[in-house]
Structures are given as structure tokens and as C-alpha cells.
Amino acid sequence: MADGADAFCLREVLVAFTACLGEQREVRVDPYLAGWKGLIRFLNTLGTVFSFISKDAVTKIQILENYRNSDQREKYLTVQSMVEYELANGLVDLKKRSEHPDSGCRTFLRLHRALRWLQMFLEGLRTGEEDSKTSVICSEAYNASLANYHPWIIRKAATVAFYVLPTRNTFLENMNVGTADEAVAMLGDALPFICKVYDITEELYAQHKLLDLP
Ligand code: 1PZ
């Protein structure tokens, strides 16, 4: 595991997702992206078999960061303001990707679906037996969430990559928050926030009928 400023730390990632939640149930985009960036750093330490996953995630994070660095940055402060702004200005392809292939709404939706995987995966790690296989926890979470949106070839590649994951306790220890037990305790504290962020976004997207954006 790499040391230094760039080393992954689970605490930072969980703090970022916790910081997403505003007082008015708004979901802030910057800490959401910071959370994913932290996770990608960790993914990159697990081996090159995961590169195709991190590349796609990085592309999506970049698209949203570009909106946050554009003249319209204020509109992309929260998921709520992004949805409102893009819909009101016809910036979302609703049926087919054409004029706006990389809308904030469709891009965020991909990360939102991945957040469901993350939630189930971390919950699986948290409640798993000491020597359980991370690959099994990971593929169960994947099959129950993201896999439903991926074509066969990606499902196959993902499933193959999962095999290289270390056992649960090694995985937890690699997260740099102390012992496996300490990591489990931290997950227990943070998971409710991740669930909340997921639920609020899901509700917002459902309300606006955006859950199937192409
Ligand atoms: C710890 C092990 C990590 C396992 C990660 C499990 C997630 C598997 C995701 C496989 C994604 C494969 C690559 C590209 C897929 C894209 O086609 C889709 C849809 O985007 P579109 O084609 O519509 O533009 N992209 C996604 O579903 C977003 C996936 C983001 C995954 C981020 C995972 C980060 C994991 C960090 C774990 C520490």
C-alpha cells in the first residue's frame, strides 16, 4: 500500500460522503466527487485489472468537475440545482443520446447507480465473517445493483476482475484506518449517510422521471 499524501484513507472518503448532505436535504456535488476520487485512488492500488473501471469513473467525475469549473458552476452546486437547471433549459437527452450526450443529469446517474453498489458492498464488508471472500461480497453487491445496467461484456470483465480482491480482513486493513474492527466501526457510522445521499437522489430522479436516462 502506498504511503504519503496520496495514500488512500477510508476516513476521508466517508467524511466526504457525509459532507454531501445539506440541511435542506440537498446533495452537494463537490464532496460527492471528492468521495469518488478517493475511492478511485484506492481502486488504483488494487491492480491494473481495475483500470477499465477507474477510467470510466474518472471520465464521469471529470465531466461533472468541468461543469463545476464553468460559468454555470453555481447551477451545479447541488444535485437538486443541477436537475432543475438542466431540465428547465432543455440540456438533457431524455430518449436518446444526441444533442447533450454528457449532461450532468445522465452522468451523475451513472455514479448514483454505482453508489448503490458501494453501499451494498460496504455493508457486506461490515457484516461479513472475518475470512469471507471480498470477491463474493463484491459480486453479490454488483449483481444486485450496477450489473442490471451493464451489457454482458462489461459484467464478464467486472466478474473476472473481482477474483483478484484480497480477503475481507486484508481489504479492511488496507483501508488505512487501523484494525479491521476499527474499519468496521467506521463503516457503521458512515453508511447511514451514504444511504441517505442515495435515497434523496433516487427520490429526486424518480420525481422527475430521470431514472432511465440514456
Ligand atoms: C473494490 C472492487 C471494485 C469493484 C468496482 C465495482 C463496479 C464495477 C463497475 C464496472 C464498470 C465498468 C466500466 C464502464 C461502464 C460504463 O459503461 C457504465 C455506464 O456508463 P455509460 O456507458 O452509460 O456512459 N459506467 C458505470 O456504470 C459507472 C461505473 C463507476 C464505477 C466506480 C467504481 C469505483 C469503485 C471504487 C471501489 C474502491
Side-chain angles (χ1 to χ4, degrees):
M1 184 105 247
D3 279 323
D6 255 8
F8 170 84
C9 176
L10 178 68
R11 181 178 288 110
E12 279 170 38
V13 167
L14 298 181
V15 164
F17 283 114
T18 309
C20 285
L21 275 178
E23 276 170 26
Q24 324 274 238
R25 280 171 56 91
E26 67 271 38
V27 173
R28 298 194 188 100
V29 171
D30 291 347
Y32 194 95
L33 298 179
W36 280 114
K37 281 166 87 166
L39 286 165
I40 302 308
R41 282 214 304 280
F42 184 60
L43 189 63
N44 287 337
T45 68
L46 294 174
T48 48
V49 282
F50 294 101
S51 316
F52 77 107
I53 302 176
S54 66
K55 269 197 197 118
D56 182 72
V58 165
T59 304
K60 291 182 166 56
I61 292 166
Q62 192 67 58
I63 292 171
L64 293 165
E65 280 188 336
N66 288 346
Y67 286 122
R68 284 292 293 141
N69 291 323
S70 73
D71 291 346
Q72 304 301 328
R73 64 178 68 87
E74 286 305 310
K75 309 287 199 304
Y76 289 85
L77 190 63
T78 68
V79 183
Q80 286 83 354
S81 61
M82 172 186 78
V83 166
E84 193 187 314
Y85 167 71
E86 288 198 341
L87 285 182
N89 291 281
L91 297 172
V92 186
D93 288 341
L94 298 170
K95 297 249 157 2
K96 197 168 162 278
R97 274 182 104 183
S98 54
E99 311 263 294
H100 307 288
D102 293 327
S103 67
C105 286
R106 73 88 62 190
T107 306
F108 196 91
L109 176 62
R110 272 43 184 189
L111 294 179
H112 168 67
R113 289 170 177 166
L115 193 67
R116 176 82 180 140
W117 163 79
L118 183 72
Q119 179 195 324
M120 296 175 98
F121 174 61
L122 295 180
E123 182 61 18
L125 279 178
R126 190 180 77 84
T127 56
E129 300 287 325
E130 247 182 58
D131 54 356
S132 44
K133 289 200 162 103
T134 310
S135 58
V136 173
I137 298 173
C138 186
S139 47
E140 282 177 3
Y142 176 72
N143 290 334
S145 59
L146 266 182
N148 296 310
Y149 305 99
H150 290 163
W152 181 85
I153 184 75
I154 287 183
R155 292 204 303 268
K156 189 79 197 158
T159 309
V160 169
F162 295 163
Y163 280 118
V164 313
L165 293 170
T167 59
R168 171 184 178 271
N169 272 28
T170 307
F171 194 89
L172 287 171
E173 282 157 14
N174 284 350
M175 294 182 140
N176 272 336
V177 275
T179 63
D181 284 345
E182 286 166 329
V184 163
M186 183 171 299
L187 288 175
D189 291 340
L191 268 163
F193 290 93
I194 294 184
C195 290
K196 198 86 200 272
V197 169
Y198 178 85
D199 289 346
I200 293 174
T201 310
E202 181 76 8
E203 198 185 304
L204 177 76
Y205 268 66
Q207 236 169 36
H208 293 278
K209 302 198 168 37
L210 298 175
L211 285 168
D212 297 314
L213 288 181

